[in-house]
Amino acid sequence: MLNNIFLLLRQELTLSVLIFLLLFIKLGRERSNSSILNFVNSALLINLTIGLVLSAKGELFSGMFSTNTLMILEKNILNLAVLIISMQSYVWLKNHNQVIEFYLLILTSLLGMFFLISSGNLLIFYLGLEMSTIPLAAAANFDLLKRKSSEAAMKLILSSAFSSGILLMGISFLYGTSGTLTFSILTAHIGNNPLQIFAFILLVSGFAFKISAVPFHLWTADVYEGAPIAVTAFLSVISKAAVLFTFVSILYKVFQPIASTWYLILMILAVVTILIGNLFAIRQDNFKRFLAFSSIAQVGFILIGISGSSIAGSASLIYFILIYVFSNLAAFGVVSVVSALTGKENIADFKGFYKTNPLLSWVLTIALFSLAGVPPTAGFFGKLFLMMSGAAKGNYGIITFAALNMVISFYYYLRVVKAIFMEENETPIEKLSIPILSKIAMYICVAGILVTGLASVVYDYIYSLSFGL
Amino acid sequence: MNLSLLILVPLITALAILFAKGLQQIRVIGLVGAITQLGLAIWLLKLYMGEKATGNKAAHLFESNYTWFTTLHINYHIGIDGISLAMILLTAVIVVAGILVSWTMDKLSKEYFFLLVLLSMGAYGFFISLDLFTLFFFLEVAVIPKFLLIGIWGSGNKTNSAMKLALMLMAGSALVFVGLMGIYYNTNTFDIVKITQMGISVGVQMFFFPFAFVGFGIFAALFPFHTWVPDGHASAPTAASMFLAGISMKLGGYGCLRIAALMPEAANAYSWIIITLATIAIIYGAFATMMQTDLKYINAYSSISHCGFVILGIGMMNKTSVNGAVIQMVSHGLMTALFFAAIGMIYSRTHTRQVAQLGGILKVMPFISTVFVIAGLCSLGLPGFSGFVAEMTVFMGSWQNPTGAYRLATILSGASIVVTAVYILRATGKTIMGPISNEHALLADATWNEKLAAGLLITGILIIGLAPFLINQLIMPTTNILMSPITKAITLK
């Protein structure tokens, strides 16, 4: 039993140990920021490695917690993303007074996500979700002297409390109609019972809040703009990824009996999400708001992929998230370095960026091309495979819609590329010296963007682990 | 021969350019890579003709097939037939010429040559693909370099032109993608060879043919989706204009041809629409050209007209007309590349492309003027040059269609040649004849690299023009194979 706990829970345990260590370091004598940062980054690297070494499959606590190779992979993706974000925020955190608190918050949130992914019961699912959200609201407030930052935190906590309320209501209806909270038993009780459909809609709304699908996206742009970039990156990549992983597994496993109902709901959500995300992204001037709306549009594509409800559906979701981690974090990495060193965050500030910072420009360009889905970057494969699995049900209308929306999204990504390469600026961003950790993080992202797509092994591996209806 | 070499050589060239230092190294690497590629292409031609001479009747030669994404049935399947070989040769020639004319490009030269080579890599990959996914992949690889080339090194309203071009081409590929999805989910494969054997049911064809054909049509300046052509070509730097007109528009024509061969019944059913649009493009392009005063716009609009012949040939759907369409693609590629090269040479010296401001340059630049005249004469279809052979073949093929409306389309398209003659002769006359303005009186003639580039392109034009049987030998067997399902589809009806 004990062995089993150590094996199955090892990612969660490592993370908990790390959190406690940080607490003790905080209690001890004052240390310099850079030594703390070096320690945390190496610890996160070890954390990632521990997740990579062994695969295991099993259940704990009478089915409350379950894990398998796929979930371990999902957690590894999140671990990797946290490591990258941590390396990228080096510049910002080096001069921050509360470094350890920042890590405590985001690592606790990550721990919550791990339990969320591994949940086998609606209770632990809810606990995981809350544990992952509440620390983030505090982290969003981490630019302590900026009013926008605390506004962002307020908006995040209010909207997530609201969405949790809706989610809880859905859960309680489900419990009322089926008498159980365990996923594996729940499936047998799901039918086209109106109250259950209603419960399901509430549940989906709760999820839609977390992944900021339209019409539940209103908090996104403000929070992304106000929060420090590291937290924005965390919110837009990691927290979305964790919720999406859970969403697809709950849809495919628990709500499998009403697949035809949720197929329709997903379609409607996908269409409005892509459209609104795209149309609003066109008009943004602030880079973080821009990435917020572009990430809303990306979620729309993900929903299309999930709606295919085949093995290819969940495989393409996980594959896309992996790519999304690399591409979005590469973009956020550049923006965070620029913002930390110059305080500039608007797209217009990036005019003429190539003349002074060619390396950063290329990283940003490759990232944006990957987000837009241009070959040979991985984003091309990711988006195409999502659309392919969406088309598997013969729904060509939505594929046409999505394909044409890719063109719209192409416009606003190119707008940034245009600013970087082709436009003149009287006060361009001066040549920045990039700290080595940020540089490594960027190289990892770019390598990921170039390799994940062309090397089919990655997709085939994910496919071999995935599940479908 | 392993065809992957055709992708590897540009790839290695591009990487080497990234690590090179200084303009001299970069351009030498670029040129060496391009010449190697041209050598490969010629060697491939020799091997191909050798195989054919021994009686190899296979549709595709030098095939290799590797699994790429197992679970999605995506293969990296490559092979060539006569048509793709003709396109590869065309691309190789234009790349060498393009690199030669950009010899003195000193603004961000590393990025410039890198993008040129990347664009050519996309084209090579596209022409050798026998898997629709791979084909689509390479089609899109070639889009982004165009955007950057025009936007960074272009002239005039360059960012808008670049944006317009990129968005329209992306919209084209989005439509192609929908078409491919339709094919994929009804045949469960992307493999062109397998799909040809299996056939696609007529209902599916009728639904998805328009998507795929219009998608590729946007690349080939199909009316009314031609609007990216004039601005894109006019704003692009010389080599990029040559690549755009010479290579990139051919991706569209080639794609249209492949799609028509994959979905013969639908192509036949929609042929009247295709022919109507092509005829409009031919006539509209010709008249629009007459109104232009900028040399690059003249050539760009005439490209719309000339590419109309490609679409017309494909739409007429018989062996001769399709043959003509392929020859027209090659001929137009060489001819516009030559034209753009000549315009670029004139512009780099006089700093104007306005016909009204030029004149009498024959006196100071005899070589460039001669090149200009040759390109013009080829464009208006003078016998002896490739343009004549190509357009003649298209007309002969079109005339084989006995229906009255088709005859009318053929006559109207044929009549456009008169308009072509008007604008070409006018532009040529005003540019190179007459009195020369004082500020242009001391300009120098072409340098060695420009002479070499022009010479290479002219050689290609003359080979096709004087010995059309050579290219016919290459592509005729392939068109026969390609058209047999279409002919069957027409006769069944």
Side-chain angles (χ1 to χ4, degrees):
Chain A
M1 176 70 192
L2 207 58
N3 268 341
N4 227 354
I5 287 184
F6 277 120
L7 185 62
L8 297 179
L9 271 173
R10 70 181 188 286
Q11 284 167 308
E12 287 77 5
L13 287 175
T14 332
L15 208 52
S16 316
V17 169
L18 180 54
I19 291 172
F20 280 112
L21 265 179
L22 285 174
L23 268 177
F24 285 122
I25 294 175
K26 179 71 194 170
L27 291 177
R29 67 181 172 84
E30 195 95 346
R31 273 160 223 274
S32 75
N33 269 357
S34 54
S35 65
I36 295 174
L37 283 171
N38 289 339
F39 166 73
V40 175
N41 282 319
S42 13
L44 285 174
L45 186 63
I46 296 170
N47 177 38
L48 174 66
T49 330
I50 289 177
L52 289 174
V53 282
L54 270 174
S55 145
K57 187 175 186 312
E59 286 187 347
L60 285 176
F61 317 124
S62 52
M64 282 278 198
F65 180 95
S66 69
T67 191
N68 57 32
T69 322
L70 181 69
M71 287 173 183
I72 290 175
L73 173 73
E74 292 172 346
K75 291 172 191 170
N76 284 334
I77 294 178
L78 299 187
N79 270 335
L80 175 69
V82 169
L83 177 63
I84 294 174
I85 290 181
S86 160
M87 284 157 75
Q88 282 171 347
S89 18
Y90 186 84
V91 194
W92 173 62
L93 286 173
K94 210 174 62 183
N95 302 316
H96 203 284
N97 290 330
Q98 272 83 15
V99 181
I100 293 194
E101 285 87 340
F102 174 75
Y103 277 105
L104 281 177
L105 288 173
I106 65 166
L107 292 182
T108 317
S109 169
L110 184 66
L111 187 61
M113 287 166 194
F114 283 2
F115 282 109
L116 177 68
I117 289 174
S118 276
S119 58
N121 182 299
L122 279 169
L123 271 183
I124 201 111
F125 159 78
Y126 183 72
L127 278 177
L129 197 66
E130 287 304 282
M131 189 169 163
S132 68
T133 320
I134 295 171
L136 281 184
N141 196 9
F142 237 66
D143 265 341
L144 296 170
L145 299 173
K146 283 189 190 159
R147 287 181 64 177
K148 273 203 164 171
S149 183
S150 49
E151 181 194 327
M154 207 61 202
K155 278 186 176 154
L156 180 59
I157 192 75
L158 283 179
S159 62
S160 55
F162 185 52
S163 75
S164 302
I166 291 179
L167 205 68
L168 264 186
M169 194 167 163
I171 291 176
S172 64
F173 282 151
L174 273 184
Y175 184 67
T177 51
S178 65
T180 178
L181 288 171
T182 312
F183 289 158
S184 47
I185 309 175
L186 200 56
T187 317
H189 295 278
I190 301 279
N192 270 322
N193 167 349
L195 192 56
Q196 274 182 352
I197 301 276
F198 183 52
F200 173 72
I201 289 174
L202 291 176
L203 218 57
V204 170
S205 315
F207 275 114
F209 254 112
K210 306 285 180 197
I211 59 175
S212 58
V214 177
F216 308 100
H217 67 291
L218 295 164
W219 59 277
T220 319
D222 290 343
V223 172
Y224 281 22
E225 187 188 356
I229 293 184
V231 180
T232 309
F234 194 94
L235 274 170
S236 83
V237 177
I238 301 179
S239 105
K240 262 184 198 173
V243 176
L244 279 166
F245 288 148
T246 321
F247 186 42
V248 71
S249 90
I250 287 189
L251 273 186
Y252 283 16
K253 286 177 182 161
V254 181
F255 290 100
Q256 179 195 349
I258 52 168
S260 54
T261 313
W262 59 250
Y263 176 67
L264 198 67
I265 296 176
L266 282 192
M267 280 293 133
I268 297 169
L269 272 183
V271 168
V272 286
T273 305
I274 294 180
L275 197 63
I276 302 280
N278 269 345
L279 292 182
F280 278 83
I282 291 178
R283 299 194 55 83
Q284 300 308 317
D285 295 320
N286 180 291
F287 219 112
K288 281 148 85 185
R289 285 185 85 87
F290 166 79
L291 286 173
F293 281 106
S294 96
S295 79
I296 291 177
Q298 307 275 0
V299 165
F301 284 98
I302 292 178
L303 290 177
I304 288 183
I306 298 177
S307 74
S309 62
S310 53
I311 299 178
S314 62
S316 61
L317 163 84
I318 296 161
Y319 183 62
F320 184 81
I321 296 261
L322 178 62
I323 293 163
Y324 182 69
V325 164
F326 290 129
S327 357
N328 224 12
L329 288 187
F332 271 117
V334 176
V335 179
S336 79
V337 168
V338 171
S339 156
L341 293 176
T342 66
K344 292 180 176 174
E345 280 183 3
N346 283 335
I347 294 178
D349 295 328
F350 282 80
K351 283 182 184 172
F353 192 46
Y354 187 67
K355 288 212 177 84
T356 48
N357 294 289
L359 178 75
L360 288 179
S361 302
W362 277 119
V363 173
L364 187 55
T365 309
I366 292 174
L368 291 173
F369 282 156
S370 181
L371 287 172
V374 177
T377 61
F380 170 78
F381 297 94
K383 255 188 192 165
L384 246 55
F385 293 168
L386 280 177
M387 280 153 77
M388 275 171 72
S389 61
K393 285 208 163 172
N395 200 340
Y396 298 109
I398 195 120
I399 297 311
T400 318
F401 173 82
L404 291 176
N405 265 279
M406 267 181 86
V407 183
I408 302 182
S409 73
F410 202 60
Y411 167 73
Y412 54 75
Y413 292 120
L414 282 189
R415 210 168 61 104
V416 182
V417 176
K418 190 173 91 174
I420 295 174
F421 283 94
M422 304 166 196
E423 285 175 2
E424 301 290 326
N425 193 348
E426 289 179 356
T427 53
I429 296 166
E430 65 272 28
K431 182 146 185 51
L432 306 172
S433 63
I434 319 155
I436 183 79
L437 273 181
S438 307
K439 231 180 206 170
I440 296 174
M442 278 174 207
Y443 286 142
I444 294 176
C445 289
V446 170
I449 289 173
L450 295 179
V451 171
T452 322
L454 292 171
S456 54
V457 203
V458 183
Y459 181 80
D460 287 340
Y461 175 67
I462 293 175
Y463 188 92
S464 70
L465 300 177
S466 299
F467 51 88
L469 281 194
Chain B
M1 175 180 159
N2 194 336
L3 290 175
S4 296
L5 272 179
L6 286 176
I7 305 174
L8 274 180
V9 172
L11 187 65
I12 293 167
T13 317
L15 290 179
I17 286 175
L18 279 188
F19 291 104
K21 285 197 180 65
L23 175 62
Q24 185 62 23
Q25 266 191 31
I26 291 168
R27 62 191 183 189
V28 167
I29 292 175
L31 187 63
V32 169
I35 290 178
T36 317
Q37 188 81 342
L38 181 60
L40 267 182
I42 292 171
W43 186 42
L44 189 63
L45 176 70
K46 190 171 156 277
L47 287 179
Y48 182 85
M49 296 313 274
E51 280 285 321
K52 283 285 164 191
T54 56
N56 190 338
K57 288 236 164 22
H60 302 281
L61 291 183
F62 312 115
E63 274 185 66
S64 39
N65 197 347
Y66 307 97
T67 313
W68 196 1
F69 291 93
T70 328
T71 45
L72 296 168
H73 312 290
I74 293 171
N75 293 330
Y76 172 71
H77 185 184
I78 50 175
I80 51 160
D81 56 14
I83 297 178
S84 33
L85 186 51
M87 293 296 145
I88 290 167
L89 281 165
L90 168 72
T91 311
V93 169
I94 291 177
V95 173
V96 175
I99 285 180
L100 279 172
V101 300
S102 351
W103 203 245
T104 51
M105 171 58 73
D106 47 5
K107 181 189 172 194
L108 298 176
S109 45
K110 182 178 282 189
E111 290 84 345
Y112 184 78
F113 283 97
F114 175 77
L115 289 172
L116 282 185
V117 176
L118 193 67
L119 173 51
S120 76
M121 188 185 85
Y124 289 120
F126 182 83
F127 291 132
I128 60 173
S129 298
L130 287 180
D131 182 276
L132 288 171
F133 188 89
T134 321
L135 185 101
F136 184 67
F137 173 80
F138 283 114
L139 178 73
E140 287 214 349
V141 164
V143 173
I144 286 304
K146 295 175 207 164
F147 171 75
L148 293 173
L149 281 170
I150 296 175
I152 301 177
W153 293 273
S155 57
N157 198 356
K158 56 184 184 180
T159 46
N160 278 3
S161 311
M163 198 61 120
K164 191 169 171 184
L165 171 134
L167 289 180
M168 289 196 69
L169 295 189
M170 270 327 231
S173 26
L175 294 179
V176 170
F177 175 69
V178 176
L180 297 194
M181 281 295 97
I183 297 176
Y184 176 69
Y185 279 107
N186 287 291
T187 56
N188 218 8
T189 176
F190 278 119
D191 197 311
I192 294 180
V193 180
K194 275 190 202 156
I195 297 173
T196 319
Q197 283 164 2
M198 258 189 274
I200 307 170
S201 71
V202 178
V204 175
Q205 285 190 22
M206 296 302 282
F207 191 77
F208 289 106
F209 177 80
F211 283 100
F213 193 86
V214 171
F216 280 119
I218 294 179
F219 281 80
L222 174 76
F223 185 87
F225 308 106
H226 61 279
T227 48
W228 63 271
V229 178
D231 292 335
H233 286 69
S235 300
T238 307
S241 302
M242 292 165 68
F243 276 42
L244 267 179
I247 303 172
S248 167
M249 282 170 88
K250 306 300 165 284
L251 301 181
Y254 180 85
C256 285
L257 186 56
R258 289 280 172 217
I259 289 297
L262 278 181
M263 308 201 226
E265 278 90 359
N268 188 35
Y270 288 116
S271 70
W272 65 275
I273 302 180
I274 302 172
I275 290 168
T276 315
L277 291 179
T279 316
I280 295 176
I282 292 170
I283 297 168
Y284 163 82
F287 277 105
T289 316
M290 286 185 75
M291 302 304 296
Q292 303 305 317
T293 53
D294 181 314
L295 283 177
K296 270 200 162 177
Y297 272 101
I298 291 181
N299 197 18
Y301 273 103
S302 79
S303 281
I304 298 175
S305 175
H306 285 120
C307 280
F309 286 107
V310 177
I311 307 278
L312 183 74
I314 297 171
M316 288 293 179
M317 308 256 287
N318 58 53
K319 286 175 187 167
T320 322
S321 73
V322 168
N323 232 2
V326 176
I327 302 178
Q328 171 73 349
M329 279 199 261
V330 179
S331 148
H332 172 258
L334 294 169
M335 180 259 292
T336 18
L338 184 66
F339 223 142
F340 276 123
I343 295 170
M345 294 174 205
I346 295 174
Y347 180 69
S348 66
R349 289 170 174 75
T350 62
H351 303 291
T352 179
R353 295 191 308 246
Q354 294 298 323
V355 177
Q357 293 171 12
L358 292 165
I361 58 167
L362 181 62
K363 295 181 187 102
V364 287
M365 307 177 216
F367 184 84
I368 297 177
S369 308
T370 318
V371 171
F372 193 74
V373 172
I374 292 176
L377 293 181
C378 179
S379 172
L380 63 76
L382 193 77
F385 296 115
S386 60
F388 172 75
V389 178
E391 280 167 19
M392 200 59 207
T393 322
V394 174
F395 290 141
M396 272 157 51
S398 313
W399 199 254
Q400 287 174 13
N401 261 335
T403 327
Y406 286 16
R407 285 267 157 95
L408 183 67
T410 314
I411 293 171
L412 285 174
S413 316
S416 81
I417 289 189
V418 182
V419 186
T420 313
V422 173
Y423 65 71
I424 291 288
L425 292 177
R426 205 169 58 178
T428 328
K430 280 188 181 159
T431 313
I432 66 168
M433 311 288 186
I436 186 163
S437 67
N438 287 334
E439 50 192 307
H440 297 161
L442 292 170
L443 295 171
D445 202 5
T447 52
W448 66 271
N449 53 313
E450 292 167 335
K451 284 183 181 163
L452 213 57
L456 192 62
L457 293 168
I458 293 175
T459 317
I461 291 177
L462 288 179
I463 289 178
I464 299 176
L466 297 176
F469 54 89
L470 287 177
I471 188 165
N472 267 332
Q473 246 174 21
L474 175 63
I475 59 178
M476 200 78 106
T478 307
T479 15
N480 286 346
I481 298 173
L482 206 62
M483 295 309 290
S484 59
I486 302 186
T487 330
K488 212 191 294 169
I490 296 173
T491 41
L492 274 181
K493 207 179 157 203

